[in-house]
Amino acid sequence: MIPYGRQNIEDDDIEAVVEVLRGDFITQGPTVERFEAALGDACGAHAVIVGNSATSMLHAAYLALDIGPGDLVWTTPITFVATANAAIMCGAEVGFVDVEPDTGCMSVDDLTERLAAADAVGRLPKLVVPVHFAGRVCDMAAIGALAQKYGFHVVEDAAHAIGADDDVGPVGACRHSDISVFSFHPVKIITTGEGGAASTQDPKLAARLKRLVSHGVTRDAALMQGESEGPWYYQQIELGFNYRMTDIQAALGLAQLKRMPAFIKRRRALAVRYQTLLGDLSLQCPVISDPDRSAWHLYVIRLSNDAPPRRQVFEALRARGIGVQVHYIPVHQQPFYQNLGFKIGDYPNAESFYAAAISLPMFPTLSDDDQMQVVDIVRDILTAG
Ligand SMILES: *Cc1c(COP(=O)(O)O)cnc(C)c1O
């Protein structure tokens, strides 16, 4: 089976992990700090705080922006459930903005309309979370301008998009947002097994994120009530969590980060090849911008109306050894969100995107030959009718 995504682990990764295992600190040691600094350099952020998953870091990011009961958080339905769930974990209310029909990214037109309507009834979101779907960066300049106009915070769910660029430079520099969040799950661009990170340009947010991933505890005397009682002393000044990443994971992440430019280069080459090889079939390939700024976490084709039904194509691909997947079942269609009052039909672009989508194999070690095999099988299935 050729999977839709997989990690790329080489001897350097293994040696880096073993070195930490033989050393003094397997958690709360210097490798976490080295990984955070290297991530900050890679994405041009003042600070990066790592944690045990992107889900944890989304939760910490929303909390760092004081999201709580009574607040409204908007994201898009074409995402993994964690983006919305993190708002529920804060006790906030979730709302959705529809996606662009061709990219699956947040529609600035729909956002603009919904903000005007929300403003009229005095129910603006406190936070908007665009998702850089499949590694393609949302129109952050436009979203940032709306954030200025209406006064909401922005967190970029960049789980798919480390290594991608916005119109100026790397994602994670938070040019139009407060915080960006990355995932290091094995199918993502680089991996630490499980893991995530949050980047920011704001030193206060960075300090708060660091505290939230470690129990809300501080050793900074300036933040304490009363006097420090000695060198052992710490205070818990808010509710935090154990969302820490281990040094074992950070060592893997550091080794992976060195190869990230090569990973992205290969993913971009695979995307261009797919587009050339699939161009004549009853399907739509993802949009490739010029210049190509996407990290290409996923390669999502959408079947045309005259193609066989999606389920039939999906099952035929699986039966022939192509480990395709579907990204994503729109979050508002999940029973949990249906119980909160969302209805099928609420976000038509997201629903049609989902109905036609299939994620083809896309990972740096996918060979040209294997990619050609994927293409041949897709062609067979679509032209057999
Ligand atoms: C993978 C993913 C997450 C969650 O990441 P974890 O590291 O698995 O917690 C959140 N949002 C999106 C868009 C994702 O793809």
Side-chain angles (χ1 to χ4, degrees), residues 31 78 88 92 100 124 136 169 194 197 253 265 268 284 346-347 353 356:
T31 314
I78 298 293
I88 307 279
E100 297 172 337
L124 283 167
R136 182 191 181 85
E194 297 280 358
K265 196 168 164 223
R268 287 180 179 166
Q284 279 152 278
D346 283 352
Y347 304 95
F353 192 94

Side-chain angles (χ1 to χ4, degrees), residues 270-289:
L270 287 166
V272 169
R273 257 172 66 90
Y274 264 137
Q275 195 180 44
T276 313
L277 297 168
L278 295 169
D280 60 324
L281 297 175
S282 291
L283 55 82
Q284 279 152 278
C285 290
V287 182
I288 302 185
S289 307

Side-chain angles (χ1 to χ4, degrees), residues 99-110:
V99 297
E100 297 172 337
D102 290 335
T103 66
C105 286
M106 182 175 280
S107 159
V108 171
D109 289 345
D110 194 54

Side-chain angles (χ1 to χ4, degrees), residues 71-382:
D71 294 330
L72 196 48
V73 176
W74 287 2
T75 185
T76 45
I78 298 293
T79 185
F80 186 54
V81 291
T83 320
N85 289 349
I88 307 279
M89 292 181 215
C90 298
E93 201 183 307
V94 171
F96 297 98
V97 177
D98 211 349
V99 297
E100 297 172 337
D102 290 335
T103 66
C105 286
M106 182 175 280
S107 159
V108 171
D109 289 345
D110 194 54
L111 176 61
T112 305
E113 274 175 36
R114 283 177 196 275
L115 285 168
D119 196 23
V121 297
R123 192 78 180 102
L124 283 167
K126 184 166 172 183
L127 168 66
V128 173
V129 188
V131 178
H132 300 322
F133 178 72
R136 182 191 181 85
V137 182
C138 297
D139 186 348
M140 290 309 301
I143 294 167
L146 289 166
Q148 293 285 319
K149 178 170 174 191
Y150 289 101
F152 55 82
H153 290 295
V154 178
V155 170
E156 297 173 61
D157 184 335
H160 299 182
I162 193 166
D165 297 299
D166 61 23
D167 49 350
V168 179
V171 167
C174 302
R175 272 172 283 273
H176 306 286
S177 67
D178 299 279
I179 298 171
S180 302
V181 172
F182 302 119
S183 172
F184 306 132
H185 182 277
V187 296
K188 306 286 165 75
I189 306 290
I190 60 170
T191 189
T192 59
E194 297 280 358
S199 69
T200 183
Q201 298 292 16
D202 179 341
K204 280 216 178 85
L205 282 178
R208 183 123 193 242
L209 284 162
K210 191 82 187 166
R211 200 159 69 225
L212 285 165
V213 302
S214 200
H215 308 284
V217 156
T218 186
R219 290 179 182 276
D220 180 353
L223 296 173
M224 291 181 186
Q225 290 180 20
E227 294 295 302
S228 169
E229 294 176 9
W232 65 87
Y233 198 63
Y234 58 82
Q235 280 184 355
Q236 184 195 343
I237 59 173
E238 65 181 323
L239 184 64
F241 306 86
N242 182 351
Y243 281 168
R244 291 187 303 257
M245 176 182 280
T246 66
D247 282 52
I248 305 167
Q249 292 169 298
L252 179 54
L254 262 172
Q256 290 265 303
L257 188 60
K258 292 198 181 110
R259 295 207 304 289
M260 188 171 76
F263 290 166
I264 300 289
K265 196 168 164 223
R266 177 63 184 157
R267 287 173 178 274
R268 287 180 179 166
L270 287 166
V272 169
R273 257 172 66 90
Y274 264 137
Q275 195 180 44
T276 313
L277 297 168
L278 295 169
D280 60 324
L281 297 175
S282 291
L283 55 82
Q284 279 152 278
C285 290
V287 182
I288 302 185
S289 307
D290 181 23
D292 184 3
R293 301 191 174 103
S294 177
W296 292 105
H297 161 54
L298 299 172
Y299 192 82
V300 181
I301 56 163
R302 281 167 307 128
L303 300 178
S304 307
N305 290 335
D306 58 350
R310 193 261 306 270
R311 181 164 182 168
Q312 186 184 320
V313 175
F314 184 96
E315 286 177 349
L317 284 163
R318 281 277 179 96
R320 294 189 58 181
I322 310 301
V324 285
Q325 199 39 281
V326 170
H327 297 92
Y328 285 99
I329 304 160
V331 177
H332 72 282
Q333 294 184 207
Q334 295 292 352
F336 178 83
Y337 286 91
Q338 294 274 296
N339 288 338
L340 293 177
F342 293 100
K343 302 266 178 302
I344 310 283
D346 283 352
Y347 304 95
N349 292 350
E351 291 167 23
S352 356
F353 192 94
Y354 162 62
I358 298 181
S359 301
L360 297 183
M362 169 55 93
F363 50 93
T365 52
L366 180 68
S367 67
D368 285 3
D369 285 354
D370 281 353
Q371 187 185 27
M372 192 55 95
Q373 194 187 330
V374 173
V375 168
D376 288 343
I377 292 172
V378 171
R379 178 178 301 281
D380 265 12
I381 291 167
L382 288 187

